[in-house]
Amino acid sequence: MTTELQDIIAQARAAMRSGNWELACSLWSTVRKSRPIHPGAYTEGLECLIRAFRHGEIDSVAEMARNNVGHIPKVQIYLATLSCRRGYWQEALKQFEEIHASKGKNGPDVTRLTAYRQALLNTYGILEGNRRLSHLTHRDFMSVELADEHASKDRKFVFVSGMPRAGTTALGHVLNHSADVALFTEIHIPYLTYAVDSFDRGLLQNRADALPTAAPGNMLDKAETAKFVGDKRPLFHYMMPQTFEAMANSSITVFHMLRSVELVAASYQSRALNPKDQWDPLRGLENAIDEMNVMHRFILDLHRSGSLGQNHRLIYVDYNKAFSNLDYVLDLFEALGHPVDTQLHRQLADYVEHSQSIVSRSRSIAPEVLTALRLRLDREAAEGVKDITGIDVLGGKLG
């Protein structure tokens, strides 16, 4: 490789770090022309196209990658992951399985990859996907020494689940008003099985060091004495069956947030189209609708199977009431088995009063969002969720 080309690659990466995606796209294009066997010209170049919202060029560059560097395992995994990010789950799963088959025992273990597990769960549905996936807990995934293997066996666990953009973070804040609740904020990697030792101090410390926002303030210390410990994890429902199985003897309460499909889809779209947002630009409108379809079908399947254990409770939470109705919030604490004293009652009342004005704001829904929902949403499944939970997830604008 010439010094000149090395300089261009360095400039491309500098442009990426500064967020100058157009310049980075141009520089990586030059690299592809000059050295078509450079893997980064495709993997890093594709990321630049995504961030520059030049999504119409993705397919052609991906095809060039397959033709020129497609034999390299890192590139193969990147392209399969890219398919998953775009919501092409069946295609992604096929690519991952081809990688697994071609590499044999000495190749990369794709079954440990988040994107592989995501693709499989969305392809087969949550219940069947959990049957097909090997149990992979956070302890299995991380090479971390536990602080105390027996410290958390008598704890009660609480999780906040639901779609991203459905109020899971806000409900986590509500529950964390209590000194007896230590609810982390997405401290663990998604699409893995939670187990009792997922909340071991050593494991949590490792994750908090890597992701400080997951354990705000003194959350690690709070978890040592809290009566209820858990995680606020959007999409937790994807691994709920395996988690219930792994924690069969533990007391678990899952609060599953439900918000209208039109508002969730619109929020996905807004974030995906915002160039200043860290949200993946590929995770837009269609991805939101497909994920909601998977979630709704899971709720129906779970209801039909009646597979909740005697120690496990699944409570569906209405976004429209959880932050605007104090009595509704108090009922959530009662369902958790958590008494509310005078001080906590006052804190919750203040939170609800502050939240009411935010929740009650009128939000316009772009016509393209409604059109996509009418074409892509599994309306029968959404209606079924309404029948089971009493929560209208369809909203009032779909007609």
Side-chain angles (χ1 to χ4, degrees), residues 279-349:
W279 187 269
D280 190 340
L282 296 178
R283 197 177 188 188
L285 184 55
E286 292 185 352
N287 204 309
I289 299 170
D290 291 344
E291 287 183 351
M292 284 189 285
N293 285 336
V294 172
M295 180 185 73
H296 293 157
R297 291 165 189 157
F298 167 62
I299 292 173
L300 300 183
D301 290 343
L302 190 66
H303 180 74
R304 283 191 289 262
S305 69
S307 57
L308 283 181
Q310 62 179 0
N311 296 318
H312 305 149
R313 290 180 298 168
L314 175 58
I315 299 167
Y316 297 105
V317 181
D318 188 340
Y319 175 91
N320 291 325
K321 296 179 181 178
F323 314 112
S324 60
N325 185 320
L326 179 58
D327 288 337
Y328 191 86
V329 174
L330 295 174
D331 286 344
L332 296 180
F333 276 89
E334 183 179 351
L336 186 60
H338 185 306
V340 176
D341 60 22
T342 303
Q343 180 181 358
L344 180 57
H345 189 285
R346 184 167 56 251
Q347 291 175 331
L348 295 174

Side-chain angles (χ1 to χ4, degrees), residues 71-78 80 95-113 116:
H71 61 286
I72 300 173
K74 182 179 178 180
V75 175
Q76 294 172 345
I77 290 172
Y78 176 84
Q95 289 174 276
F96 279 123
E97 290 177 341
E98 287 174 351
I99 295 169
H100 185 70
S102 65
K103 299 304 174 184
K105 293 181 179 180
N106 297 323
D109 184 2
V110 298
T111 66
R112 295 175 64 88
L113 298 177
Y116 166 79

